[in-house]
Amino acid sequence: FAAVCHQLSEAGIAPWPLVAGDEELILVDRKRLPTAALELVKAGHAVGPPGRIAPPPKGEEDLPAADAEKLCGVWRLVDRQKPAGSVVEKFGKGEGPIRIQAPNGVYVEVSVRSPGQVVGQRSVCGSLRIEREDGELISVRHKVLGFEPPSVGARKSRVALDAGGGEGGEDV
């Protein structure tokens, strides 16, 4: 509890801790809620529900409920297009990333190419905006947070300290 309050304070967000019976709550200013959620997710915490953290993205016009429903749910991608109509990545059956999209525009995408192996895994989350282009619905993603392990193993660095090597005998 104290560590979470400290993380938020370090990020410039004023937390208001509240203890009510056996529950510990942290209140933050509504305007700072998306930033607070991002900081906590970056630190490895789970934050939810998405509809309370990220309001639905603002579009030029509200998407009709029937169209919004078509774009929400859980599925496996078969290809990635950028721009729309131009395939930049195609996936075989059962190999594409799993996408979860909520009605408020929050999405999570998890890609595990080979179970048990780190190489090829990738996860991202963020928000998306729905646009209508030539009569079709197009989702435009805005990545907020991503994770992709290095493909060549851990990076190694060798550091040599030269005591007294700076000006006037300072350590550098």
Side-chain angles (χ1 to χ4, degrees):
F1 185 70
V4 171
C5 287
H6 179 74
Q7 285 174 314
L8 292 172
S9 294
E10 288 289 312
I13 299 165
W16 295 305
L18 177 66
V19 178
D22 60 346
E23 286 189 295
E24 296 176 329
L25 304 171
I26 298 174
L27 305 176
V28 295
D29 182 21
R30 180 182 297 268
K31 294 174 188 166
R32 303 295 314 264
L33 185 57
T35 305
L38 178 62
E39 290 300 322
L40 292 174
V41 168
K42 282 198 250 180
H45 300 283
V47 181
R52 303 281 306 268
I53 296 163
K58 301 271 189 256
E60 290 182 18
E61 60 184 66
D62 287 338
L63 196 61
D67 289 340
E69 206 168 286
K70 292 177 192 174
L71 299 168
C72 297
V74 179
W75 62 88
R76 191 175 287 276
L77 297 181
V78 294
D79 65 33
R80 190 179 313 279
Q81 301 177 10
K82 191 173 185 176
S86 180
V87 176
V88 294
E89 193 173 8
K90 192 157 187 70
F91 307 103
K93 186 175 182 178
E95 294 178 353
I98 294 173
R99 169 82 60 86
I100 302 169
Q101 283 183 196
N104 69 339
V106 172
Y107 78 92
V108 175
E109 188 175 297
V110 179
S111 178
V112 179
R113 300 276 169 104
S114 301
Q117 294 186 9
V118 172
V119 175
Q121 294 187 20
R122 178 178 66 212
S123 299
V124 296
C125 67
S127 65
L128 56 90
R129 187 179 72 245
I130 306 302
E131 297 177 354
R132 192 175 295 278
E133 188 175 292
D134 298 327
E136 290 188 53
L137 298 176
I138 307 293
S139 67
V140 180
R141 298 182 310 146
H142 300 280
K143 183 170 92 170
V144 174
L145 185 64
F147 169 76
E148 186 170 359
S151 60
V152 294
R155 295 183 181 187
K156 295 180 182 177
S157 298
R158 186 176 303 244
V159 178
L161 299 176
D162 183 10
E167 289 184 28
E170 305 171 337
D171 288 341
V172 291

